[in-house]
Amino acid sequence: MTMRTNRRFSLRVTIASLVVGLLFATVAGVLAIALIIRGQTITATAEIIQGEISTRITEKIQERFGPLGDLLREYQASSTRGHLPLDDEELLAKQLVERVRYDPRIEWLAFLGSDGSAVGSVRMPDGKIRAIRKGPGESGDVVIEGWSHDGTYEPSEIDDLDLSTIQQVAWFQLGSESIEPVWTPPYVRPLDGTLGRACALAIRSGNELVGVFGLGFGVEFLREYIRGLKVGKSGGVFTLHPEHGEILVSPSDEVLLRLGPIVQKAIEELPSGMGGLTPG
């Protein structure tokens, strides 16, 4: 993928003069971006900046995570040919653990069967991997196992997990309705409260749904890239939580301290709140 050279936007900017809450979602909603700008043609200027920044961040995400859709296609093909042990939950769990352990881009990787079964692996905040297996039906038995960073087996510290409604998660529902990898809207990751995205792909036997493979990841890697984006000579970019407007990334700690309250005040005064802002 050809990346654009990083350049400054040619705008006359005076930070702290005026805050315009432009909240843009990247890849149909990853991050919300608030730009601090000043000018006579704010709407036209904002549209140009919105498109440019959204494109840049989208390219960054595609560069890093785009190939993961091919991983799900690989699993789909292997399952169809009988090379992936969907009927052996223990063996499948070990394979998913190894994939998550060796690919730092992936936070979790799972297969949810149409019969209510579930097999998955998840990277915990401390870097350790947990494998989770659930039998068919809502009351299927749940088994949780743990692995250290080097792949050594160790007892899991999780002892209570309700997976009775696991097939109701958004990525399973979206994946089961699509014949190609489908990306979910952003969601708040339960492990650390940051934003993440998920990709899902259905496995079928003829027209019958067998289950759905899904994987998820966070977008924390964008923090330093977004901090480096410049608007004019001294302007910068804030990223906001798309639901409640909390500032996630600011141009610098000093700017956050100085202008953060102004940005938050502007969000509070929006007539429709965050929901009234147009995604980029």
Side-chain angles (χ1 to χ4, degrees):
M1 178 182 298
T2 301
M3 300 296 295
R4 302 179 181 174
T5 58
N6 198 14
R7 66 180 187 278
R8 294 174 180 268
F9 299 99
S10 56
L11 300 175
R12 297 171 59 186
V13 180
T14 303
I15 290 186
S17 296
L18 180 62
V19 175
V20 179
L22 298 176
L23 302 168
F24 313 124
T26 63
V27 192
V30 174
L31 296 173
I33 300 174
L35 299 179
I36 302 174
I37 68 173
R38 172 190 171 188
Q40 297 300 319
T41 56
I42 291 178
T43 300
T45 299
E47 289 178 352
I48 295 173
I49 299 175
Q50 173 181 0
E52 180 72 16
I53 293 181
S54 294
T55 297
R56 289 190 183 193
I57 297 178
T58 297
E59 288 176 347
K60 278 290 183 181
I61 293 176
Q62 283 297 111
E63 178 184 29
R64 185 179 179 92
F65 298 114
L68 294 181
D70 292 334
L71 171 61
L72 296 185
R73 289 190 179 93
E74 177 186 325
Y75 282 163
Q76 183 187 59
S78 296
S79 301
T80 301
R81 297 185 177 93
H83 299 159
L84 201 62
L86 298 183
D87 56 349
D88 189 334
E89 295 175 358
E90 184 174 358
L91 181 56
L92 179 60
K94 290 180 179 179
Q95 291 191 13
L96 299 186
V97 164
E98 289 304 298
R99 174 68 73 168
V100 171
R101 193 165 71 87
Y102 281 106
D103 193 334
R105 296 173 300 174
I106 302 174
E107 179 190 65
W108 59 264
L109 178 60
F111 174 74
L112 302 184
S114 59
D115 60 357
S117 61
V119 180
S121 65
V122 58
R123 189 190 317 278
M124 307 302 288
D126 61 3
K128 297 179 180 180
I129 310 297
R130 294 290 179 263
I132 303 171
R133 294 183 278 126
K134 174 186 171 295
E138 290 189 5
S139 59
D141 294 335
V142 176
V143 177
I144 301 175
E145 300 172 298
W147 277 264
S148 63
H149 306 80
D150 61 2
T152 303
Y153 178 82
E154 58 183 33
S156 173
E157 299 176 358
I158 305 176
D159 55 13
D160 185 19
L161 188 63
D162 181 9
L163 298 179
S164 60
T165 59
I166 186 65
Q167 267 71 13
Q168 295 179 16
V169 295
W171 64 266
F172 178 83
Q173 298 296 325
L174 290 172
S176 64
E177 299 170 356
S178 177
I179 61 174
E180 292 291 332
V182 57
W183 296 88
T184 70
Y187 64 93
V188 177
R189 303 192 299 172
L191 292 178
D192 58 12
T194 61
L195 292 181
R197 294 296 300 275
C199 184
L201 179 62
I203 307 299
R204 302 182 184 279
S205 177
N207 294 324
E208 182 179 355
L209 178 68
V210 176
V212 178
F213 269 104
L215 57 82
F217 55 85
V219 293
E220 183 66 15
F221 78 100
L222 286 171
R223 178 179 296 273
E224 292 306 317
Y225 176 73
I226 292 174
R227 279 193 162 190
L229 291 175
K230 299 299 181 183
V231 182
K233 294 182 178 180
S234 58
V237 177
F238 284 87
T239 68
L240 311 177
H241 194 289
E243 295 178 2
H244 48 66
E246 176 188 357
I247 296 176
L248 301 176
V249 180
S250 64
S252 69
D253 293 339
E254 183 274 331
V255 171
L256 176 62
L257 182 64
R258 180 162 52 90
L259 297 178
I262 300 176
V263 174
Q264 298 287 198
K265 183 64 175 178
I267 298 301
E268 292 173 2
E269 293 182 356
L270 290 172
S272 301
M274 295 292 292
L277 295 167
T278 303

